[in-house]
Amino acid sequence: MTGTLLLLLLLPLLHPTPSRAASKPNFVLIMADDLGIGDPGCYGNKTLRTPNIDGLAHGGVKLTQHLAASPLCTPSRAAFMTGRYPIRSGMASKSRVGVFLFSASSGGLPNNEVTFAKLLKNEGYATALIGKWHLGTHCHNKTDFCHHPSSHGFDYFHGLPVTNLRDCKPGEGSVFTSGIRLLVFVPLQILALALLTLGALRWLGLLQVPVPVLVCLVLLACALLGLLLCFLHFFRPLNCFLMRDRDISQQPLSYDNLTQRLTEDALQFVRRNADTPFLLLFSCIQVHTALFAAKDFAGRSQHGAYGDAAEEMDWAVGQILDVLEELRLTNNTLVYFTSDQGAHVEEVTAKGERHGGSNGIYKGGKGNNWEGGIRVPGLLRWPGVLQAGLEIAEPTSNMDVFPTLLGLAGAALPDDRIIDGRDLMPLLQGKSQRSDHEFLFHYCNFYLNAVRWHPRNSSSVWKAFFFTPKFTPEGANGCFPTHVCFCHGHFVTRHHPPLLFDLSRDPGERSPVTPSTEPRFWDILATMQDAADRHARTVQEVPNQLSLPNLLWKPWLQMCCRSSPGLSCQCPREKQGRGRSP
């Protein structure tokens, strides 16, 4: 009897039950919005308090040459989700507008693109996106949800289908100021001048101007003013709202404790799925303008409203790390932290307050491919698997997350398309000392802007620009009159030969090399041009999701909360409940 009892006690040790923890890790991906690489303390900031983000660096791996595949939100996020350059999915604009601005646009991440969420869901993962999406919602009608997160592998979504804008917060100004000036104020001035001129000529008897002509001009001016007033009145409720799954939960969104609400939902998702593999993409709404922070953070930082928002975001990161620790999931969870692109240096208020972040020593920022626009924080923590405190200076991309997650989950990469990302694990675990990216290609929207080359037998990192944005005013570090740099036409300077930098010696891109300072100048450029040509041959023409027809507001795609009549769209109290949450 005693022997039998002892055998029963030893059986679990002799034949341990396979645990779900041993088979598939959890993934927590945290993406900040417009956070500069110079903002976190672990990247050199001495005055902005980011202890939780810094803790990821101390307890994991810090990438110091981690790159966004695009310097703008929508294309960067498309690349992140698919592991592919955004031009391959049609998420690269040919016009000045490179992102979605309206909830009722018809463009978005195509259904034939495969996201890591969709593939992980097929592997049994519970998947959630909490925060910002910005990759479209509808195609043909407001019930198809063809671009919605639920159509791209996420079981649960709670957040903004588009993005946070100044226009979403009363009193914070507008991102459409330049457009309004061009499309409304200039025509109004022309109409006013025409009315005054024709009226004076008629009064002086020099020209017989029919009264109906003057009336038509007045009516046209009134129509322009009416359209402007309608736009200003309706933009916020029609575009700034929260969704829970496929339902609107608050319209227009309220910034009151917004970070706390989204963070709490993320914690609940983790708790509900503690016993199953899960993917949580916590896509922070901060620190994109309009800036906001709860009362516990407002006015507490040394960097005004921007610093308050950044420190509140760091608090949210800490809450997520704490719940992993509480549930004893830390050692089986890969945590990744990044930003979708560099800080928006042109974000300065009418009062001169700086509402953009810091890109450290790097030139440029959001909207351009100088290092400040694409070099972003890259932190990965997985205790027991990744070495704590390790720094890696090799070129890596946010596209690399796609194959890395699939490899860890045991899922196969799609074999019917080109995947531009590379599995990071050999580099992170020290099995390889070199990045798998010999070449990386930097697009400014649709246009190939620059090529990066890290030769296999060299420590150099060469970067060649085919064109660069014209910073304005002269001597500035951005394109302040247009709020963001544009990618073509008279807004850029083309370089023949390309402008060449060695980032290993000049990371701030201050002094381009020349044939007189670099004997291999022409050979280096020839190699990079050849790589660009080979890459171009792999890019197939696809429908442009950011074309003008796809970007425009379409009334038949406009969503409005069910309890609100017409276009008033007022549901100020956020609806609670888990919806379809797993």
Side-chain angles (χ1 to χ4, degrees), residues 175-197:
V175 300
F176 299 101
T177 302
S178 298
I180 290 172
R181 185 183 300 117
L182 179 66
L183 298 175
V184 179
F185 290 161
V186 171
L188 279 176
Q189 290 173 343
I190 294 172
L191 286 171
L193 182 61
L195 273 169
L196 288 172
T197 303

Side-chain angles (χ1 to χ4, degrees), residues 420-435:
D420 298 297
R422 299 290 183 266
D423 189 344
L424 287 171
M425 289 307 291
L427 187 64
L428 298 175
Q429 293 184 297
K431 297 176 181 178
S432 172
Q433 302 302 313
R434 303 283 297 188
S435 168

Side-chain angles (χ1 to χ4, degrees), residues 54 74 86 99 215 302-303 380 470:
D54 300 344
T74 294
V99 300
V215 172
Q302 298 182 42
H303 294 276
L380 299 103
K470 293 179 181 177

Side-chain angles (χ1 to χ4, degrees), residues 72-133:
L72 278 177
C73 305
T74 294
S76 175
R77 291 164 185 269
F80 171 67
M81 295 295 304
T82 63
R84 290 154 51 84
Y85 289 109
I87 194 171
R88 298 194 192 279
S89 58
M91 299 292 277
S93 174
K94 296 180 182 179
S95 70
R96 296 184 191 179
V97 182
V99 300
F100 296 114
L101 296 171
F102 304 110
S103 66
S105 296
S106 56
L109 189 62
N111 266 332
N112 60 359
E113 287 296 324
V114 180
T115 67
F116 55 69
K118 187 176 289 186
L119 295 174
L120 291 177
K121 183 177 180 178
N122 293 342
E123 294 295 318
Y125 277 73
T127 57
L129 166 61
I130 295 176
K132 171 177 169 175
W133 174 237

Side-chain angles (χ1 to χ4, degrees), residues 543-565:
N544 184 359
Q545 298 296 323
L546 288 154
S547 65
L548 183 60
N550 279 331
L551 287 170
L552 287 175
W553 178 74
K554 299 172 179 63
W556 58 90
L557 298 182
Q558 183 61 57
M559 294 183 68
C560 203
C561 52
R562 294 172 182 173
S563 60
S564 187

Side-chain angles (χ1 to χ4, degrees), residues 104-165:
S105 296
S106 56
L109 189 62
N111 266 332
N112 60 359
E113 287 296 324
V114 180
T115 67
F116 55 69
K118 187 176 289 186
L119 295 174
L120 291 177
K121 183 177 180 178
N122 293 342
E123 294 295 318
Y125 277 73
T127 57
L129 166 61
I130 295 176
K132 171 177 169 175
W133 174 237
H134 211 183
L135 295 175
T137 307
H138 303 297
C139 289
H140 307 293
N141 60 69
K142 59 184 178 183
T143 60
D144 61 22
F145 293 97
C146 65
H147 302 308
H148 187 272
S150 61
S151 297
H152 285 291
F154 289 101
D155 298 315
Y156 180 59
F157 170 59
H158 181 200
L160 290 174
V162 193
T163 188
N164 177 31
L165 292 172

Side-chain angles (χ1 to χ4, degrees), residues 277-522:
F278 64 82
L279 161 72
L280 169 63
L281 173 51
F282 189 68
S283 182
C284 306
I285 295 173
Q286 290 159 319
V287 285
H288 196 294
T289 52
L291 297 175
F292 63 95
K295 63 180 181 179
D296 288 342
F297 296 92
R300 300 296 179 88
S301 78
Q302 298 182 42
H303 294 276
Y306 183 88
D308 298 344
E311 291 184 2
E312 183 176 51
M313 179 185 65
D314 179 79
W315 167 86
V317 172
Q319 293 295 297
I320 294 172
L321 299 181
D322 286 348
V323 80
L324 295 176
E325 190 67 29
E326 171 196 326
L327 300 172
R328 299 182 180 180
L329 298 173
T330 298
N331 291 344
N332 192 47
T333 302
L334 173 65
V335 179
Y336 167 75
F337 178 86
T338 192
S339 179
D340 54 355
Q341 69 268 320
H344 195 172
V345 298
E346 294 94 345
E347 274 290 3
V348 179
T349 70
K351 298 178 181 178
E353 298 171 355
R354 183 175 174 178
H355 278 195
S358 168
N359 293 314
I361 66 170
Y362 303 108
K363 187 175 182 177
K366 176 179 178 176
N368 59 76
N369 280 303
W370 293 108
E371 288 296 282
I374 54 176
R375 197 181 286 224
V376 293
L379 304 172
L380 299 103
R381 190 196 73 176
W382 189 358
V385 178
L386 302 182
Q387 180 183 332
L390 180 65
E391 288 191 16
I392 295 176
E394 290 289 294
T396 57
S397 169
N398 65 353
M399 296 184 293
D400 297 340
V401 172
F402 181 96
T404 303
L405 299 188
L406 297 190
L408 291 171
L413 285 175
D415 58 6
D416 61 344
R417 65 198 64 212
I418 293 173
I419 300 298
D420 298 297
R422 299 290 183 266
D423 189 344
L424 287 171
M425 289 307 291
L427 187 64
L428 298 175
Q429 293 184 297
K431 297 176 181 178
S432 172
Q433 302 302 313
R434 303 283 297 188
S435 168
D436 273 353
H437 292 290
E438 183 177 0
F439 295 96
L440 281 165
F441 304 96
H442 303 302
Y443 281 86
C444 188
N445 289 342
F446 181 81
Y447 308 97
L448 182 58
N449 187 181
V451 177
R452 181 181 302 249
W453 178 32
H454 186 32
R456 296 297 183 193
N457 58 348
S458 170
S459 61
S460 293
V461 178
W462 300 103
K463 186 177 178 185
F465 281 96
F466 301 115
F467 63 86
T468 51
K470 293 179 181 177
F471 284 172
T472 48
E474 188 175 350
N477 189 38
C479 305
F480 287 83
T482 53
H483 194 62
V484 70
C485 295
F486 297 134
C487 301
H488 61 281
H490 68 275
F491 296 102
V492 303
T493 299
R494 300 199 171 275
H495 300 286
H496 306 286
L499 205 60
L500 183 63
F501 296 90
D502 182 358
L503 299 178
S504 66
R505 294 181 292 178
D506 180 22
E509 298 168 299
R510 308 298 175 186
S511 304
V513 300
T514 64
S516 61
T517 60
E518 175 50 65
R520 298 166 298 159
F521 180 86
W522 296 109

